[in-house]
Amino acid sequence: MTTVPSIGESTSGARYAIEILGVTKQYGKVTALGGVDLDIEPGEFVVLLGPSGCGKSTLLKIIAGLEELTEGEVYIGGRLANYLKPSARDVAMVFQNYALYPHMTVRSNLGFPLKMAGRPRDEVNQKVEVAANLLQIASELDKYPDELSGGQRQRVALGRAIVREPLAFLMDEPLSNLDALLRVQMRSELLRLHKRVGRTTVYVTHDQVEAMTMADRVVVMRGGLIQQIGPPDEVYRRPANRFVASFVGSPPMNILDGRIETADGSRRFSGPIPVDVPGLAGMALDNGPAAIGIRPEELLLVSAGTDDSFPAVIELVEPVGADIFLSAAVPGGAVLTIRVDAETRVAEGQSVHVRIAPGATRLFDAGGDRIPAGERA
Amino acid sequence: MSVVVPRRGAPGAAGAIAAEHARSRRRRRLRGLGKHAFLIVVTFLLVAPFYYVILASFKNSTEIFTYPPKLLPIPPFVGNYQKLLGDTGFLRWMFNTLFVAGTVTLIKVFVDSMAGYALAKLDLTGKRLIFVLMLILLMVPLGALIVPLWALVSAMGLTNTYLALILPPLANPLGVFLMRQFILGLPRDLENAGRLDGLTEFGIYRRIVLPLIKPGLVVLAVIIFTDQFMSFVWPLIATSSDNLQVLTVGVAALRSHGGADYGLWSAAAVMSLVPIAVFFFVLQRQFLARSLAGALKQ
């Protein structure tokens, strides 16, 4: 049992399963993490989402103790973990390429962490059997990893984490090596498993579908900094800034640059399309460059020109099954992506009228931050 | 020459197609014969001198020079082998060689794989510098090292000891270089999994890395063992005692004693090959598996 120094008491006691305070990571002159604060509740499924090189895997490895942090504190279960060995942190990790020991059978792979912890052989065997049954790999126990399919290997990797019964699971893009169909299946299985096992999980991915479907809270990262923390729906509907708006959502949010201007005694957004931003008059926002963001499904095709619609020409029609993505050029030169249902009859070159759904406009200031007003709840 | 094959169903097409097939078969058979003839010639060139030495080892000194030569040693003359094992220090040389080569191989496989692990995976200050220095060392010819090495061994009072034969080859960086390259190919996540499972750095090396680089260890062992087995210049310089002579030096010394005894020399050459052949046959499955794996790796 590792003795925890008294200075290592978490500020919140043991309320959080994992608490990250001001963590930075420098590789020479390169900053991988530039000051990260994050609290993770017990049992919560938190997804770290961001593009390659955003620092999400580095943060996960710092929590696991596989990377040393430059500054800051990491608390796991209320204990300062900065100086604890990875094996003493009470976390288990599932790696992107499974990291199964190729020279050991599935049974040995599953039991290895327990064997290393000095658990009695009977207990090891019993826990291995339980995990194997839970993951439906009981018939594969005497096989070697290279005799298993990708999905089975992934299950073994999960099983190796489960047998340890840790405080938290850390998962580093665990589904990225699977083909598309298997990924969808494993995603559901992982979620079911999480609900059954109920352990805190920190899950790293660059796949926003995984993030949106699995997370209790999504942590969007970029350039070593957290851009936004929130439930998937909030991140999608109320992105904190232009980066989150364009990174989350497929196809991404339409972002149109323009200016806040005062004309005829009233303030308005002047851009490639006429937009009415509710509450703009009352906002503490100077005149100058700004941008608006509208989700593709919040642009509606209307049959004839109305006061609140604008004309556009369909440039491209991309059917994707249940939906059709349209690229529509508006008179100002901008191209908007519009999502319509598969029943909609449109053709390339067709002139249409487009209307913005009420309250669908997000306003971003010159720095890219969202000004919270005029949105749908 | 282009061959016009009649279209299917055309008059006489079946006969023409059959004839073309027969021609094609003949061409293939001729090509096959040519290949085999070439391979037979090459094999003969490689095996003939070896066979001649084995033959000579079973002939007495008169038979060796009779013309035409006997191609089968019947009845075999075993006097050369009796003389080799009875009148020379051959068994002692063999023991010395096996002891030195075996010890060097064991120590080097262990030390080189550990050093390779450290250079491949650990976060060491000056790791690159050490690696570059090792590469430079690999390029220094033995001839340039012999005199300072002898001076060093002599100053340490190790001349005419087994240590003089064992210590210097341990400093050869080739094994470290090979092991580093093997270990670099192992995914970092495997070590990290080991760390999370509670393994120490040495535990990771012993329980994860070593089993996974076993084919590499075999390749290294074969290289070191054969190199030591055939080493001549350094053992010749480092020892003058008869008791410490190794095979290469002892067999060479046979020439300076007792005149030109080709039968005895041949017997010594054949006997010298036995351990290295056994060593290779024991490890050949692993050795070939590794070579093929390397060749076919995507």
Side-chain angles (χ1 to χ4, degrees):
Chain A
M1 184 81 188
T2 313
T3 313
V4 180
S6 57
I7 56 160
E9 285 306 312
S10 157
T11 49
S12 61
R15 185 189 153 195
Y16 297 114
I18 297 171
E19 201 176 354
I20 294 158
L21 299 174
V23 166
T24 66
K25 175 68 185 175
Q26 294 276 138
Y27 293 104
K29 287 179 182 168
V30 179
T31 303
L33 290 176
V36 169
D37 294 287
L38 179 64
D39 303 326
I40 300 170
E41 304 270 354
E44 198 178 14
F45 198 116
V46 168
V47 173
L48 306 181
L49 175 70
S52 297
C54 71
K56 55 193 190 297
S57 286
T58 305
L59 181 58
L60 196 75
K61 284 180 182 160
I62 284 176
I63 298 171
L66 299 172
E67 290 274 3
E68 274 186 36
L69 46 77
T70 309
E71 281 173 12
E73 288 162 12
V74 173
Y75 294 90
I76 298 173
R79 295 188 304 163
L80 181 67
N82 286 30
Y83 310 108
L84 293 181
K85 287 190 300 183
S87 57
R89 294 187 175 211
D90 203 10
V91 294
M93 191 155 170
V94 180
F95 295 90
Q96 184 174 357
N97 61 9
Y98 320 128
L100 302 178
Y101 305 127
H103 55 296
M104 295 183 196
T105 60
V106 170
R107 189 187 300 279
S108 305
N109 264 288
L110 292 176
F112 193 70
L114 299 176
K115 195 174 148 192
M116 285 299 100
R119 304 281 179 83
R121 186 188 293 235
D122 288 347
E123 186 192 332
V124 173
N125 289 340
Q126 187 248 331
K127 286 193 171 167
V128 166
E129 295 288 341
V130 170
N133 286 327
L134 183 70
L135 294 160
Q136 296 160 8
I137 46 171
S139 57
E140 322 295 334
L141 280 176
D142 294 316
K143 289 185 179 168
Y144 285 88
D146 64 355
E147 297 171 295
L148 304 177
S149 67
Q152 288 170 328
R153 285 181 210 186
Q154 185 54 264
R155 287 194 183 126
V156 178
L158 281 171
R160 201 169 59 178
I162 287 171
V163 291
R164 294 180 57 178
E165 298 176 357
L167 181 84
F169 292 123
L170 309 176
M171 301 193 185
D172 190 3
E173 308 208 27
L175 305 184
S176 61
N177 279 355
L178 303 177
D179 62 51
L181 187 65
L182 201 53
R183 197 180 307 171
V184 175
Q185 280 174 12
M186 284 304 290
R187 202 167 68 203
S188 315
E189 281 192 33
L190 258 178
L191 265 182
R192 273 197 290 274
L193 198 68
H194 172 69
K195 286 183 174 37
R196 217 167 142 181
V197 180
R199 303 279 156 140
T200 309
T201 304
V202 186
Y203 186 104
V204 161
T205 185
H206 62 265
D207 182 335
Q208 52 171 299
V209 179
E210 276 173 32
M212 302 304 274
T213 51
M214 299 173 92
D216 293 326
R217 278 193 303 157
V218 179
V219 178
V220 185
M221 295 184 69
R222 181 204 194 188
L225 294 170
I226 290 178
Q227 303 292 308
Q228 186 171 3
I229 305 173
D233 187 57
E234 185 182 309
V235 169
Y236 186 77
R237 302 220 169 270
R238 287 186 284 277
N241 53 39
R242 281 181 71 150
F243 169 75
V244 178
S246 53
F247 187 76
V248 177
S250 177
M253 184 181 274
N254 296 292
I255 309 269
L256 299 168
D257 288 305
R259 295 183 66 79
I260 303 286
E261 289 175 349
T262 306
D264 306 330
S266 65
R267 301 178 81 208
R268 64 186 186 90
F269 175 82
S270 165
I273 55 172
V275 180
D276 175 32
V277 182
L280 183 62
M283 281 185 202
L285 185 66
D286 294 334
N287 286 352
I292 54 159
I294 310 156
R295 290 276 174 210
E297 63 273 21
E298 292 166 338
L299 288 167
L300 313 169
L301 294 188
V302 287
S303 51
T306 54
D307 285 351
D308 55 355
S309 72
F310 54 91
V313 176
I314 303 298
E315 283 191 338
L316 194 63
V317 178
E318 297 172 271
V320 288
D323 295 315
I324 299 175
F325 300 152
L326 307 172
S327 296
V330 294
V335 176
L336 300 174
T337 305
I338 305 169
R339 179 186 227 142
V340 293
D341 67 55
E343 304 303 314
T344 310
R345 293 280 160 262
V346 274
E348 286 169 13
Q350 185 181 336
S351 293
V352 293
H353 282 84
V354 182
R355 189 167 66 84
I356 302 169
T361 315
R362 287 100 184 149
L363 183 65
F364 300 99
D365 66 15
D369 290 332
R370 185 174 55 86
I371 310 299
E375 299 163 4
R376 286 200 293 202
Chain B
M1 190 183 85
S2 69
V3 178
V4 181
V5 180
R7 271 187 320 162
R8 218 182 208 194
I17 289 171
E20 177 54 26
H21 278 314
R23 270 199 298 278
S24 163
R25 261 201 308 277
R26 262 200 307 278
R27 272 199 301 271
R28 270 206 302 274
R29 207 176 299 151
L30 273 176
R31 266 204 299 271
L33 276 176
K35 270 186 214 164
H36 277 84
F38 175 73
L39 289 174
I40 287 167
V41 170
V42 171
T43 309
F44 177 78
L45 289 176
L46 290 174
V47 173
F50 186 60
Y51 181 67
Y52 185 79
V53 172
I54 295 176
L55 211 60
S57 74
F58 284 106
K59 289 177 177 177
N60 62 33
S61 34
T62 328
E63 277 178 321
I64 288 174
F65 294 106
T66 49
Y67 189 83
K70 270 167 72 178
L71 291 179
L72 285 173
I74 299 172
F77 173 70
V78 291
N80 293 323
Y81 287 93
Q82 283 170 342
K83 191 174 172 188
L84 181 72
L85 299 176
D87 300 350
T88 70
F90 187 84
L91 289 175
R92 179 78 204 183
W93 306 334
M94 180 66 89
F95 168 78
N96 289 341
T97 306
L98 290 177
F99 177 69
V100 171
T103 311
V104 170
T105 305
L106 276 179
I107 298 176
K108 263 193 90 58
V109 164
F110 181 63
V111 172
D112 288 357
S113 56
M114 277 210 291
Y117 175 71
L119 286 176
K121 299 292 186 181
L122 297 187
D123 227 358
L124 301 173
T125 317
K127 197 163 80 168
R128 283 179 68 89
L129 180 70
I130 294 172
F131 184 64
V132 170
L133 283 176
M134 270 175 28
L135 284 183
I136 293 171
L137 258 181
L138 274 177
M139 295 168 204
V140 180
L142 180 68
L145 291 174
I146 287 275
V147 175
L149 202 57
W150 186 83
L152 195 68
V153 167
S154 174
M156 291 167 78
L158 295 178
T159 42
N160 280 327
T161 63
Y162 279 119
L163 281 179
L165 296 172
I166 291 168
L167 285 183
L170 296 182
N172 186 339
L174 178 71
V176 181
F177 174 74
L178 276 179
M179 287 297 98
R180 175 186 178 269
Q181 300 310 106
F182 263 106
I183 295 168
L184 268 181
L186 300 179
R188 191 165 278 274
D189 282 350
L190 272 182
E191 308 144 45
N192 283 338
R195 286 188 187 104
L196 279 158
D197 285 344
L199 288 175
T200 59
E201 218 51 58
F202 185 74
I204 293 170
Y205 159 78
R206 192 172 73 81
R207 286 173 173 272
I208 298 173
V209 173
L210 270 193
L212 294 181
I213 60 160
K214 216 189 279 173
L217 295 177
V218 171
V219 171
L220 182 63
V222 169
I223 291 174
I224 297 169
F225 190 83
T226 45
D227 186 47
Q228 283 308 300
F229 200 85
M230 294 187 295
S231 167
F232 174 70
V233 177
W234 177 247
L236 179 69
I237 292 167
T239 60
S240 55
S241 156
D242 283 349
N243 277 339
L244 288 172
Q245 267 185 2
V246 293
L247 266 180
T248 46
V249 178
V251 170
L254 281 180
R255 297 183 61 142
S256 49
H257 306 298
D261 192 341
Y262 289 103
L264 180 69
W265 298 351
S266 300
V270 172
M271 287 291 284
S272 305
L273 281 171
V274 172
I276 202 102
V278 169
F279 185 72
F280 186 78
F281 279 119
V282 168
L283 295 178
Q284 80 164 338
R285 246 176 54 149
Q286 298 254 22
F287 186 74
L288 290 180
R290 183 66 246 164
S291 313
L292 289 177
L296 299 174
K297 196 169 180 184
Q298 297 299 307

